[in-house]
Amino acid sequence: FIVVYPFTVLAIWLEDRGSPFIIQDRVGERGRSIRVKKFRTMTGNQNGVWIGEESPLRITKVGSFLRKSRIDELPQIISILLGESSLIGPRPDLTGLRDRLVQEIPYYEARYIVKPGLSGWAQVTQEGLPPQSVDETKLRLSYDFYYIKHRSIWLDILIALKTIKTLSMRVGV
């Protein structure tokens, strides 16, 4: 983390002279608002917009590499150290996106009964690709409910191992 951090900041800054970080409002445990810091991978902050929807934002060249390698997620370790999230659990939603999904999917807010995580059952089962529609989000929600129902140290270890496998293979966005 400490070795990669300065090189990542420099690469983002050199590409477009913009801020190397974005701070996103996300939904944490019990629906509480948390602020998540990430390395910036787009020309702006995507707050509640799916990639396929109308948006002037684009993924930068450095951002593409950061996403594939998952380096863009490293600053979230701060949220884990602050106790706002954990290593394993359902991914925290962007606040704007959550507001839409609560209206469209019954029982959606039930996923917030546990602390959100950097990786989760849905991420390792859906091959790391974030949902881009209500139907894909319903599938992710079923995986989140599975995790909540069967939560154990063994399931967390399995998710951690699958996450390491995904990271080592650079699979995903």
Side-chain angles (χ1 to χ4, degrees), residues 96-109 134:
L97 196 53
R98 185 277 311 257
D99 296 341
R100 291 172 55 187
L101 295 171
V102 164
Q103 298 297 321
E104 296 189 40
I105 303 173
Y107 306 107
Y108 189 80
E109 286 190 316
V134 171

Side-chain angles (χ1 to χ4, degrees), residues 26-34 83-86 90-93 95 98-99 102 108-117 148 151:
R26 302 255 181 149
V27 182
E29 185 177 23
R30 296 188 192 108
R32 292 188 190 125
S33 181
I34 60 174
E84 296 173 333
S85 60
S86 63
R91 290 286 290 158
D93 284 324
T95 303
R98 185 277 311 257
D99 296 341
V102 164
Y108 189 80
E109 286 190 316
R111 71 187 302 271
Y112 303 122
I113 64 172
V114 297
K115 200 174 280 193
I148 291 166
R151 211 167 60 154

Side-chain angles (χ1 to χ4, degrees), residues 142-161:
S142 70
Y143 291 129
D144 290 341
F145 285 162
Y146 177 88
Y147 173 77
I148 291 166
K149 182 178 180 181
H150 299 284
R151 211 167 60 154
S152 69
I153 188 69
W154 302 114
L155 184 56
D156 284 358
I157 290 170
L158 177 63
I159 293 168
L161 291 172

Side-chain angles (χ1 to χ4, degrees), residues 119-128 158-164 166:
S119 184
W121 186 244
Q123 285 68 42
V124 299
T125 307
Q126 286 184 299
E127 300 175 10
L158 177 63
I159 293 168
L161 291 172
K162 285 180 172 252
T163 301
I164 291 168
T166 299

